[in-house]
Amino acid sequence: MDPDRHHLLEEARRALPDGFKAELSGDTVVIQAPPSPIHQFDLAIVQRQFEAHCPSGYFPTGNSDLSSPEVGSVRNPDLTYLPEDVIELGREVPAELALIAVEIVSPSNPENDWTGKVRDYPRMGFPLYLIVDPRQKTVTLFSEPNRDRYHTRTEREFGETLRIPEPFAFELDLSRLVPYRD
């Protein structure tokens, strides 16, 4: 990654209060506020189901910088699954090693998940991108990426199920997800 961009990201992180996250999308630093209890609850509902179907040799993480120097992005998904041997790589992990990126949409900055990450994640090499949107009571799975976009988009409403493809291969139960309150 460009040293100037990396320095910009590190400076932003040092200036932030505890609980805030900073990511890099091209030349833009994206700041995220600490998550709400509903955000954390919905994330836990999803994570528990993924863990039951996680491929051997992978582990869940929700606080890892995934980088893509050729794209100029460093993203930190709410949940991803990485190979166990990445612990040898240090702080930033190549994004293309991740099996999925899961995001719970923030009510304060939904454009980051719906625009910035829909643009960045296929370019960074994420094979799957799952967006849980408690504002709209929907869950959307993007899959089949090429270098610029995802070819497949599957959307379900809270209360339904959503098929998650290999390497997880299961029906994600959306019945316990909780929408944001106005």
Side-chain angles (χ1 to χ4, degrees):
M1 171 174 295
D2 176 358
D4 290 337
R5 285 185 175 158
H6 193 272
H7 179 72
L8 179 67
L9 180 61
E10 290 306 313
E11 284 297 313
R13 287 181 172 159
R14 279 194 283 277
L16 289 174
D18 285 345
F20 281 77
K21 285 193 332 186
E23 298 175 321
L24 186 62
S25 177
D27 292 329
T28 304
V29 174
V30 180
I31 306 298
Q32 296 174 305
S36 71
I38 288 176
H39 177 284
Q40 294 300 88
F41 179 82
D42 285 345
L43 182 59
I45 294 298
V46 170
Q47 183 171 346
R48 286 180 190 139
Q49 293 179 68
F50 269 92
E51 284 183 15
H53 302 279
C54 179
S56 178
Y58 285 81
F59 70 99
T61 180
N63 197 21
S64 294
D65 284 339
L66 302 178
S67 66
S68 183
E70 61 276 357
V71 176
S73 294
V74 176
R75 292 295 196 162
N76 193 313
D78 288 329
L79 174 65
T80 192
Y81 284 81
L82 298 173
E84 292 172 355
D85 60 2
V86 301
I87 60 174
E88 307 298 327
L89 296 178
R91 181 160 167 78
E92 285 186 19
V93 175
E96 66 269 10
L97 298 178
L99 296 179
I100 189 169
V102 177
E103 299 287 0
I104 311 297
V105 174
S106 165
S108 64
N109 189 8
E111 297 79 20
N112 186 38
D113 296 317
W114 281 110
T115 303
K117 292 178 182 178
V118 168
R119 177 194 62 238
D120 288 352
Y121 282 172
R123 293 176 182 167
M124 293 175 75
F126 287 93
L128 302 170
Y129 175 30
L130 185 75
I131 302 176
V132 178
D133 193 336
R135 300 165 317 127
Q136 300 177 8
K137 302 179 198 171
T138 61
V139 178
T140 304
L141 177 67
F142 292 93
S143 59
E144 300 181 39
N146 68 12
R147 294 302 296 160
D148 295 322
R149 66 182 183 90
Y150 289 103
H151 286 286
T152 303
R153 176 183 172 148
T154 307
E155 187 170 291
R156 297 289 183 270
E157 294 183 6
F158 283 19
E160 298 179 337
T161 61
L162 175 64
R163 180 75 186 157
I164 304 297
E166 295 288 341
F168 298 98
F170 74 101
E171 294 290 326
L172 180 63
D173 180 2
L174 312 178
S175 65
R176 294 196 56 222
L177 295 174
V178 176
Y180 290 134
R181 294 170 173 88
D182 295 329

